Amino acid sequence: REIVVLANGTSSISSRVLLFLFSHSVIPNCQFRSKTSRLKTFTANQLDEIKDPSGLFYILPFQKGYLVNWDVQRKVWDHLFGKEMFKVDFADTSVVITEPYFNFTSIQESMNEILFEEYQFQAALRINAGSLSAHRYFQMNNQELCCIVVDSGFSFTHIVPYCRGKKMKDGICRINVGGKLLTNHLKEIISYRQLHVMDETHVINQVKEDVCYVSQDFYKDMDIAQLKGEDNTVMRDYVLPDFSSIKKGFCKPREEMNFTGKYKTGEQILRLANERFAVPEMLFHPSDIGIHEIGIPEALVNSINNMPEEMQPHFYKNIVLTGGNTLFPGFRDRVYKEVRSLTPTDFQVSVLQPPNPISYPWEGGKLLAENPDFDEMVVTREDYEENGHFICEEKFDI
Amino acid sequence: GVSPILLCRSSQALLVWVGSVAAQLFSVLSLSRVAEAGQRRVLDDATRQRRLNRQLDALEKDNFQDDPLSSLPPSGPTARLPAFSEGEEPGKKKRKTRGDHFKQRFRKNFQTLLEEENVSEREEPNYLSAAAPPSSLPPRLFCSVCGFPSSYTCCSCGGRYCSTRCLITHRETRCLKMTL
């Protein structure tokens, strides 16, 4: 019997069919349209087939982190489960699928219908991504009782405390800053200061991932970024792709940078200085851009303070960072530094960033599927057909 | 020699003359600045808030450009467009969730779903209560032109700037443009 574990996020789906050992794949969870081939809609990893990804148009099934567009989601899943990828035999397969926190009842019910009535999976387990991360964490650290998971993804960031495997709803905090906001802000400031790139989400997303970092000393970096010439160690030049000779953008190494004049080659260059660290700073201070919310370190302290006093030291010792935004260089150290400065010295603070923060929930799902109790956690199709949504509501803690 | 009284008088006159020229210059400059200040439109708080909200909403968008598909002419009965999208294999078993009911249920947007959820009526932690509270620290302010820390606010629109050069750029490009 096969089990498909789908970490179904806004940006990407991590998935793998277990018993058949396909390569673990992470594919984009959306459809694309390009200016050049207007009639064709590309689904998920067909992105690689697009010859000219300039002005790429995104069609996402998620809005503000919740699954609203089932048409698009079904197209992506059809592709994932179909003959080009996993060739799933639904009648014989169980699925573990992730959902956002406080997912709306109507969306949960639609999910049940799609999984059981349309795809007709044999059994399903719907669970929060953070719960899978917590499960994975407790597997590695089985003497720990509590952990607090930071899931910073495309749509938003959630801070969720877990105690003995159960999420503590009172401590859940949602910051409405995610990768999408960071990329859009970067597009805006580049468009205002240098070059019009508002249409180039895909390219600027790549710029963000290649060049942005989290500063350990914000004002010091600001001062360095204002220096001229070679003294400005923060400044970098990024070569934009032109999709004919340069397929993918890249950051020029410092040795090749021209500090005095203009470049002689025909490349399109973006010169980035304070943008490099000011953009990820929004995760720590959303008020920088006018969003009146606390940042990640403050939210961590806030959530933990809402927990019973005897548990608080345990949470501080077990902070886990997951999600794509944690991949910025310096992220983990900065979170540690800020939380440490906000916490009394008698608490021990420990922040873990796993080697692969994007697939960490998926790894948890894999462990869960291998767990002997797995069969009791799922709802089978027969269960659903007899009892309807009620049985899913009872069994799944979303 | 020159009579001391005459000398005093002439130096006085000189001073008076210099003074009057300076006063004229000053008044010309200040008049222009005053006139400019009087001419420059000042946005009220409500308009400023609307602008800020519009900027924040723009950050939520998935795409800045329009759908390339929507710019194509609509296909009439005569225009046969080749269908490149993933075709359904013939003979696929009919799914239960087809038809108008499907379209109605599965295509709502986020705001509608949130309202339907009726979250505010619940006691327990929910989507709205999980939202992060505002920070107790004051916001950091950055120049809207160059991104470095800013100390000054534009009188007209409330935008921040850090230096005169950035102010001039701001006034020319963004200040009162695109106001609701």
Side-chain angles (χ1 to χ4, degrees):
Chain A
R1 191 166 56 94
E2 292 163 30
I3 305 177
V4 178
V5 178
L6 269 186
N8 200 44
T10 311
S11 173
S12 61
I13 301 184
S14 302
S15 60
R16 179 164 141 183
V17 176
L18 277 194
L19 301 183
F20 272 135
L21 292 178
F22 279 112
S23 59
H24 168 212
S25 75
V26 178
I27 62 172
N29 190 9
C30 60
Q31 290 189 299
F32 304 96
R33 290 205 182 120
S34 104
K35 282 189 310 217
T36 40
S37 36
R38 283 197 206 175
L39 296 172
K40 185 155 160 51
T41 305
F42 299 87
T43 305
N45 55 1
Q46 288 176 344
L47 172 66
D48 304 325
E49 294 169 25
I50 303 182
K51 291 191 194 43
D52 181 9
S54 60
L56 205 57
F57 184 80
Y58 280 68
I59 308 168
L60 283 99
F62 283 75
Q63 212 178 12
K64 291 198 156 215
Y66 291 84
L67 220 181
V68 302
N69 191 334
W70 285 101
D71 286 342
V72 178
Q73 185 66 93
R74 273 160 55 243
K75 292 250 168 54
V76 176
W77 283 351
D78 286 346
H79 177 76
L80 186 70
F81 299 144
K83 51 183 171 9
E84 289 169 46
M85 289 198 71
F86 289 159
K87 308 193 217 357
V88 173
D89 177 13
F90 298 106
D92 233 357
T93 310
S94 307
V95 65
V96 175
I97 185 164
T98 58
E99 292 196 344
Y101 294 98
F102 302 123
N103 199 9
F104 305 148
T105 324
S106 45
I107 304 183
Q108 292 192 41
E109 291 181 358
S110 306
M111 177 77 88
N112 291 337
E113 284 183 31
I114 302 264
L115 290 177
F116 287 123
E117 294 176 27
E118 181 150 336
Y119 285 105
Q120 301 184 335
F121 277 102
Q122 196 238 336
L125 168 59
R126 294 188 289 104
I127 189 171
N128 294 125
S131 307
L132 293 179
S133 300
H135 181 76
R136 170 78 173 81
Y137 183 76
F138 287 131
Q139 192 78 7
M140 292 295 294
N141 305 279
N142 46 17
Q143 71 281 17
E144 298 294 341
L145 301 164
C146 306
C147 77
I148 183 160
V149 176
V150 176
D151 187 358
S152 187
F154 184 79
S155 326
F156 40 39
T157 301
H158 273 113
I159 315 282
V160 188
Y162 281 86
C163 187
R164 288 178 226 275
K166 289 203 75 67
K167 70 182 181 210
M168 314 283 287
K169 289 196 182 168
D170 299 314
I172 299 184
C173 185
R174 181 189 70 251
I175 307 172
N176 289 314
V177 177
K180 173 163 85 171
L181 207 86
L182 299 180
T183 306
N184 279 342
H185 182 61
L186 186 59
K187 275 178 6 189
E188 240 188 74
I189 53 186
I190 294 181
S191 297
Y192 185 63
R193 299 174 194 173
Q194 294 184 56
L195 184 68
H196 183 84
V197 291
M198 292 304 286
D199 291 351
E200 306 290 342
T201 312
H202 182 67
V203 173
I204 300 298
N205 198 54
Q206 193 60 49
V207 173
K208 180 189 77 171
E209 291 177 11
D210 288 342
V211 138
C212 289
Y213 70 95
V214 176
S215 157
Q216 300 305 313
D217 188 341
F218 183 68
Y219 287 108
K220 178 155 157 261
D221 278 356
M222 272 291 180
D223 286 336
I224 300 177
Q226 283 180 303
L227 300 172
K228 300 260 184 283
E230 281 209 49
D231 292 331
N232 189 342
T233 48
V234 168
M235 180 172 66
R236 288 284 185 279
D237 284 341
Y238 190 88
V239 180
L240 290 173
D242 59 7
F243 305 118
S244 49
S245 48
I246 309 173
K247 288 285 177 199
K248 189 162 174 265
F250 61 95
C251 186
K252 253 195 200 299
R254 268 192 85 81
E255 308 85 63
E256 289 178 29
M257 274 174 69
N258 186 342
F259 293 101
T260 43
K262 287 200 179 299
Y263 286 100
K264 298 290 192 299
T265 57
E267 304 161 316
Q268 270 194 318
I269 303 261
L270 287 178
R271 178 152 282 193
L272 302 170
N274 64 13
E275 296 88 346
R276 284 186 71 200
F277 56 90
V279 166
E281 197 63 23
M282 278 162 37
L283 292 163
F284 295 85
H285 293 269
S287 50
D288 282 357
I289 202 185
I291 295 176
H292 296 292
E293 292 184 3
I294 47 181
I296 292 180
E298 279 180 87
L300 272 166
V301 173
N302 200 4
S303 285
I304 298 180
N305 286 341
N306 283 339
M307 294 289 104
E309 237 182 280
E310 61 275 9
M311 289 190 200
Q312 290 180 13
H314 295 277
F315 285 118
Y316 280 116
K317 265 199 313 177
N318 297 292
I319 301 177
V320 187
L321 304 176
T322 62
N325 293 324
T326 57
L327 287 170
F328 285 122
F331 189 90
R332 185 235 154 251
D333 291 338
R334 176 71 184 274
V335 171
Y336 172 76
K337 191 169 151 215
E338 298 251 350
V339 173
R340 179 73 276 179
S341 70
L342 290 167
T343 324
T345 42
D346 38 339
F347 287 149
Q348 184 196 344
V349 172
S350 166
V351 179
L352 168 74
Q353 183 173 355
N356 198 337
I358 296 184
S359 337
Y360 201 64
W362 179 86
E363 291 173 29
K366 176 169 171 290
L367 278 173
L368 200 66
E370 292 165 356
N371 195 315
D373 295 329
F374 182 67
D375 290 323
E376 273 121 54
M377 297 195 277
V378 300
V379 168
T380 63
R381 197 159 142 245
E382 290 81 41
D383 280 342
Y384 172 75
E385 289 185 343
E386 266 184 49
N387 302 296
H389 297 299
F390 168 72
I391 183 98
C392 295
E393 224 182 281
E394 271 225 329
K395 255 190 162 168
F396 301 145
D397 172 35
I398 297 281
Chain B
V2 181
S3 151
I5 301 171
L6 207 61
L7 195 58
C8 277
R9 287 251 175 83
S10 67
S11 61
Q12 259 183 18
L14 185 65
L15 277 172
V16 166
W17 178 81
V18 165
S20 75
V21 166
Q24 275 173 42
L25 258 177
F26 180 75
S27 67
V28 161
L29 284 175
S30 65
L31 255 179
S32 66
R33 236 185 291 148
V34 162
E36 213 196 65
Q39 278 167 9
R40 277 203 86 77
R41 191 168 135 219
V42 172
L43 298 179
D44 60 4
D45 279 335
T47 320
R48 291 184 186 191
Q49 194 55 47
R50 269 205 301 269
R51 283 185 114 195
L52 286 173
N53 289 340
R54 213 168 35 148
Q55 279 167 22
L56 287 179
D57 287 338
L59 285 174
E60 267 298 321
K61 284 162 99 167
D62 285 339
N63 295 289
F64 183 71
Q65 71 270 43
D66 294 322
D67 192 346
L69 212 58
S70 62
S71 62
L72 291 172
S75 61
T78 47
R80 305 213 107 256
L81 290 171
F84 285 134
S85 54
E86 286 71 26
E88 309 271 4
E89 296 118 50
K92 202 154 197 187
K93 56 183 182 238
K94 186 174 190 303
R95 294 172 176 173
K96 288 187 198 173
T97 51
R98 278 268 177 267
D100 283 327
H101 153 78
F102 178 87
K103 284 193 173 69
Q104 223 181 6
R105 267 205 70 184
F106 295 149
R107 282 190 198 165
K108 298 194 181 140
N109 74 353
F110 177 80
Q111 202 52 40
T112 321
L113 289 170
L114 180 59
E115 282 163 16
E116 280 182 3
E117 192 69 3
N118 232 347
V119 164
S120 42
E121 306 208 340
R122 304 216 197 124
E123 293 282 316
E124 52 189 22
N126 55 50
Y127 176 78
L128 292 176
S129 69
S135 174
S136 48
L137 301 167
R140 309 186 298 191
L141 303 161
F142 300 99
C143 175
S144 56
V145 174
C146 64
F148 287 104
S150 127
S151 308
Y152 317 106
T153 315
C154 170
C155 308
S156 312
C157 72
R160 305 286 307 181
Y161 61 96
C162 63
S163 58
T164 329
R165 221 173 55 182
C166 284
L167 174 64
I168 293 173
T169 314
H170 170 80
R171 285 240 174 103
E172 284 170 6
T173 51
R174 211 180 246 177
C175 189
L176 295 170
K177 311 255 186 314
M178 305 173 296
T179 321
L180 286 167

